[in-house]
Structure formats: C-alpha cells, structure tokens
C-alpha cells in the first residue's frame, strides 16, 4: 500500500513522501520482516521519477538507498547496489546542493 501511494503519486507533498521513505528505512534498520523487499520496491518506485521529487524526498531516497545497501542480504545485494549507483549518478547532477553533497 505504501509503494502504491509512492508510485501513483497519491502522496503528492514532498515531506509526506520523505516521511514514508524514512519510515521504511527505520523498519529496515530495526530488522523487521519483509522490510528489505519493501525498501527495494519503494526505491524502485521513487527512482523512476527521482528528478521530479522534492529536494526533501530526494534526500530521503538517498538515505533509504544507503540503508538498503548496508542492510541488504546477499541474495538482493546486486539489486541494492545497482539502485544505489543509479541514484548516486542522478544525485551528482541534481540542482540542489544538499542532494549533490549527500
């Protein structure tokens, strides 16, 4: 349901989208069951529209990508690393200084 909201732009306010991504990162940090799959799915949903996200949502996306890269199990490591590299490449060209610096 959270990913549907992110994909379908039902959460249009940048701070709300950022909070959802931060909650997913917190779930992953806490080791909750299925949080890894949820995090990878959420990242995939947001990565496709990264440039159109608000700066705060882009920062939260990068934070979640970092958490996923650190916490991901071996079976999903390749997908997590690919998403992180893709998002970092997008962030390098970002007009917002905080996003580029992250």
């Amino acid at each position: 349901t959270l990913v549907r909201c992110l994909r379908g732009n039902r959460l249009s306010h940048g701070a709300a989208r950022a909070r959802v991504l931060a909650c997913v990162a917190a779930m992953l940090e806490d080791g909750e069951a299925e949080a890894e799959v949820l995090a990878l799915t959420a990242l995939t949903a947001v990565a496709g529209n990264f440039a159109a996200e608000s700066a705060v949502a882009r920062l939260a996306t990068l934070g979640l990508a970092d958490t996923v890269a650190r916490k991901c199990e071996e079976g999903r490591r390749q997908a997590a690393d690919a998403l992180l590299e893709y998002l970092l490449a997008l962030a390098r060209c970002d007009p917002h200084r905080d996003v580029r610096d992250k």
Side-chain angles (χ1 to χ4, degrees):
T1 306
L2 289 176
V3 176
R4 281 190 201 145
C5 289
L6 290 171
R7 244 188 225 137
N9 288 329
R10 291 182 189 157
L11 289 174
S12 59
H13 196 272
R17 293 175 71 81
R19 188 64 197 144
V20 167
L21 295 169
C23 287
V24 172
M27 289 170 56
L28 188 59
E29 286 282 356
D30 292 342
E32 291 192 32
E34 302 300 322
E36 194 172 295
V37 173
L38 176 62
L40 284 170
T41 306
L43 276 179
T44 303
V46 176
N49 206 24
F50 185 78
E53 296 286 346
S54 68
V56 69
R58 290 191 311 267
L59 286 169
T61 301
L62 293 173
L64 177 58
D66 175 60
T67 303
V68 169
R70 287 184 294 109
K71 296 288 187 173
C72 200
E73 293 179 5
E74 284 303 315
R76 297 185 181 102
R77 173 79 57 200
Q78 187 175 5
D81 288 344
L83 273 170
L84 179 62
E85 289 300 317
Y86 176 71
L87 289 168
L88 288 176
L90 292 174
R92 281 186 206 105
C93 303
D94 199 273
H96 198 271
R97 181 187 308 164
D98 289 341
V99 176
R100 283 193 313 268
D101 290 348
K102 179 96 173 171

